[in-house]
C-alpha cells in the first residue's frame, strides 16, 4: 500500500483538560500518514487520481478547530474519522498528534498520541 505523508502540520487550537488551555490555546503538531493505492495517480500524473494533501489539510484544520476537546486521544480520533469519511481512496490513516507546550512540570520535546484507523 502506498502512502501520502503530511509531517509537522502546526495548528493552533483550544484543547486540554485545564481551563487555561481552553481559554489561551496552544500549538499542536500533526504527523499524518494516509494509506491508499496511488497506482492510478502514478500513471496519469493527475491530482484527480490521488488524495489531495491540500484538501486533507483543510479537512484537518476544519475538524480540529471546530470544537474544544479535553483529550488528545479524542482530537486525533475525530480527525482520523473525518479523513476516512471524506476521502474514499484512503484505506488507513495513522495520526500522531503532538502537544509541545503541554502544561507538565518537566523538560520534554512534546507529549503525543498515535491513532490508527482503517476502513472496514
Amino acid at each position: 500500500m502506498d502512502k501520502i505523508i503530511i509531517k509537522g502540520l502546526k495548528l493552533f487550537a483550544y484543547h486540554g483538560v485545564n481551563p487555561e488551555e481552553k481559554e489561551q490555546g496552544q500549538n499542536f503538531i500533526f504527523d499524518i500518514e494516509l494509506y491508499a493505492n496511488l497506482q492510478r495517480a502514478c500513471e496519469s500524473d493527475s491530482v484527480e487520481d490521488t488524495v489531495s494533501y491540500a484538501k486533507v489539510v483543510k479537512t484537518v484544520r476544519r475538524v480540529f478547530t471546530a470544537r474544544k476537546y479535553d483529550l488528545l486521544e479524542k482530537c486525533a480520533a475525530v480527525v482520523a474519522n473525518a479523513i476516512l469519511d471524506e476521502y474514499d481512496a484512503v484505506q488507513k490513516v495513522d495520526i500522531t498528534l503532538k502537544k509541545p507546550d503541554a502544561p507538565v512540570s518537566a523538560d520534554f520535546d512534546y507529549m503525543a498520541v498515535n491513532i490508527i484507523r482503517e476502513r472496514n
Side-chain angles (χ1 to χ4, degrees):
M1 179 98 24
D2 307 312
K3 65 182 169 179
I4 293 170
I5 301 169
I6 301 169
K7 187 170 178 135
L9 173 63
K10 188 184 292 187
L11 296 175
F12 190 86
Y14 299 87
H15 306 300
V17 295
N18 299 313
E20 61 271 12
E21 293 179 284
K22 288 192 173 64
E23 294 166 9
Q24 298 171 5
Q26 61 191 295
N27 287 312
F28 295 84
I29 301 169
F30 281 91
D31 292 336
I32 303 170
E33 295 184 357
L34 308 171
Y35 291 79
N37 183 339
L38 303 177
Q39 184 62 38
R40 191 168 172 193
C42 293
E43 294 168 1
S44 71
D45 195 28
S46 172
V47 72
E48 301 303 320
D49 291 329
T50 191
V51 178
S52 168
Y53 46 80
K55 289 181 181 178
V56 171
V57 167
K58 287 180 183 179
T59 297
V60 173
R61 181 180 290 117
R62 175 179 46 81
V63 172
F64 187 65
T65 60
R67 291 187 48 199
K68 297 178 183 181
Y69 297 106
D70 288 343
L71 301 179
L72 287 178
E73 292 85 343
K74 177 68 173 184
C75 296
V78 166
V79 170
N81 291 334
I83 290 170
L84 289 174
D85 288 346
E86 294 183 25
Y87 302 93
D88 292 337
V90 176
Q91 297 302 307
K92 176 180 167 183
V93 61
D94 183 336
I95 294 178
T96 299
L97 177 54
K98 302 172 187 176
K99 189 174 183 178
D101 299 318
V104 175
S105 296
D107 186 22
F108 60 91
D109 289 335
Y110 57 82
M111 303 295 174
V113 297
N114 180 251
I115 299 287
I116 300 169
R117 298 290 182 266
E118 293 186 56
R119 190 172 302 285
N120 293 335

